[in-house]
Amino acid sequence: MIRATYIALALLLSPALQAAIPFPEVEMVPLPDQEYAFEIDGNEVLRYHGNDRAPKPFIYPLLGPSGKRLTTMSHPEDPDGHRHHRSVWIAHRDVNGHNFWEEKEDNRIVMTRLEAYGHEEKSAWLRGAHEWRSAAGKVIVNEQRTWTVTRLENNEYYLDVTMVLRPGEDGDVTFGQTSFGFLAVRVRPSVSVKFGGGRILNAAGDLNEAGVHWKAAQWVDYMGPVGPDRINGVTLMNHPTNPGSPVSFHVRDEGWMGLCFSYDAPYTLKTGESLTLGYRIYVHGAEVDLDSLTQQGIKFSEK
């Protein structure tokens, strides 16, 4: 009886009213335990882990257009020593002398609350408050972090992150000179150059670790097989208004790449000031138009 009533109600709805019912193409879905799934057409493409079970939030999995994982956790040859490699993550090795990169100290980046989330025509987003806390529990940095997924053609998508950083209890914050921080990706072994059939390419056309490592570029791309006859890739892009752009990239044949915010010199954020940074991850298939990719690196949405 209930099923018959539902069908009858559906038949009464006019085509115009049915078309007006909002079913977003891209959604951010809050899950238990501070986990947040991004879905395209109801299929999860990535998950943000914002709970405090790990020393920092991270994204896992990150699925490519083929529906297969592009990333992994840790390092195949040194899983314990590289446990801080958490698929897609944000951290920095030297923040007022505190190491938020390796997980050897009890410094933590904590998502304290989900502030808001929503969707537009072909994108969805979440905004969360984060605290960078020292081992002693002092808040060194306050951060507002926004993740946005934008749908593209052929099951490709952008994953954009905007970070708004402000000094915490210590006052001025210095991000020390290092090649570790802020945004990084650990690709699955099959996508890597060393363990699989992958290749690395930057905007200048340089190849693999020997050509790309520690060079400044608009973007760096890591592409490789995610299954039989299935090639997917992930591109890291730096927003052109970030300080020091174009920045250097830390890239290895064994499967990871990161943007180096303070590779050439330290950066000090004064009390009362804020720093806004933007990065893009482009998740794509085997066919990539490099000229178009360069333009995307220049023109992606303002922060």
Side-chain angles (χ1 to χ4, degrees):
M1 184 67 177
I2 294 176
R3 181 174 181 272
T5 302
Y6 177 80
I7 294 173
L9 177 62
L11 292 173
L12 289 173
L13 295 177
S14 69
L17 182 56
Q18 292 183 51
I21 297 174
F23 290 101
E25 297 180 30
V26 187
E27 283 189 276
M28 198 294 291
V29 183
L31 301 173
D33 299 323
Q34 283 188 282
E35 294 185 4
Y36 308 96
F38 282 87
E39 297 180 348
I40 298 179
D41 286 339
N43 298 310
E44 185 174 333
V45 296
L46 65 89
R47 184 174 295 200
Y48 187 52
H49 298 256
N51 55 62
D52 61 1
R53 290 195 293 269
K56 55 181 175 283
F58 60 95
I59 288 172
Y60 181 86
L62 183 80
L63 302 185
S66 297
K68 304 295 185 180
R69 286 185 302 104
L70 266 166
T71 62
T72 191
M73 305 283 283
S74 191
H75 187 305
E77 294 180 328
D78 183 22
D80 185 63
H82 286 77
R83 61 185 181 275
H84 55 285
H85 281 207
R86 295 182 180 272
S87 177
V88 178
W89 73 98
I90 289 171
H92 196 281
R93 196 176 198 177
D94 182 357
V95 185
N96 280 5
H98 302 285
N99 185 347
F100 287 90
W101 189 263
E102 287 98 349
E103 297 171 7
K104 298 176 182 178
E105 305 169 18
D106 197 22
N107 302 312
R108 305 180 69 84
I109 303 172
V110 179
M111 182 176 177
T112 57
R113 66 185 181 281
L114 176 66
E115 294 185 331
Y117 66 95
H119 66 268
E120 298 176 4
E121 183 178 359
K122 291 185 179 294
S123 65
W125 55 274
L126 73 80
R127 185 174 68 244
H130 297 66
E131 292 180 349
W132 296 50
R133 300 174 182 169
S134 71
K138 183 176 291 187
V139 178
I140 309 301
V141 176
N142 288 295
E143 178 198 353
Q144 184 185 76
R145 184 179 301 179
T146 303
W147 293 101
T148 303
V149 169
T150 301
R151 180 181 195 167
L152 305 172
E153 296 180 354
N154 302 317
N155 296 319
E156 298 182 342
Y157 59 93
Y158 294 144
L159 171 60
D160 292 339
V161 61
T162 301
M163 306 164 59
V164 182
L165 304 166
R166 295 180 173 86
E169 299 173 43
D170 269 355
D172 296 355
V173 175
T174 296
F175 299 98
Q177 187 173 2
T178 178
S179 63
F180 296 97
F182 282 100
L183 179 65
V185 174
R186 161 65 67 174
V187 300
R188 62 185 291 177
S190 66
V191 176
S192 74
V193 175
K194 180 177 180 179
F195 303 113
R199 73 100 181 93
I200 306 166
L201 179 73
N202 71 6
D206 301 314
L207 285 171
N208 297 339
E209 181 179 331
V212 174
H213 186 48
W214 288 341
K215 284 189 178 179
Q218 290 178 319
W219 52 261
V220 169
D221 180 75
Y222 222 128
M223 185 181 344
V226 294
D229 301 319
R230 294 185 178 184
I231 305 294
N232 284 178
V234 56
T235 313
L236 281 185
M237 300 180 182
N238 181 67
H239 198 287
T241 64
N242 289 346
S245 295
V247 299
S248 298
F249 283 77
H250 194 145
V251 188
R252 297 294 189 182
D253 286 345
E254 40 83 346
W256 89 278
M257 59 179 174
L259 292 131
C260 308
F261 171 74
S262 52
Y263 177 76
D264 295 315
Y267 182 95
T268 298
L269 181 59
K270 297 290 187 181
T271 302
E273 296 179 347
S274 66
L275 171 64
T276 301
L277 301 174
Y279 300 106
R280 165 165 287 173
I281 296 175
Y282 172 34
V283 181
H284 60 80
E287 301 297 327
V288 185
D289 183 336
L290 298 181
D291 290 335
S292 174
L293 186 60
T294 297
Q295 290 301 311
Q296 292 162 2
I298 294 172
K299 294 167 60 178
F300 81 84
S301 57
E302 290 301 313
K303 297 169 286 183

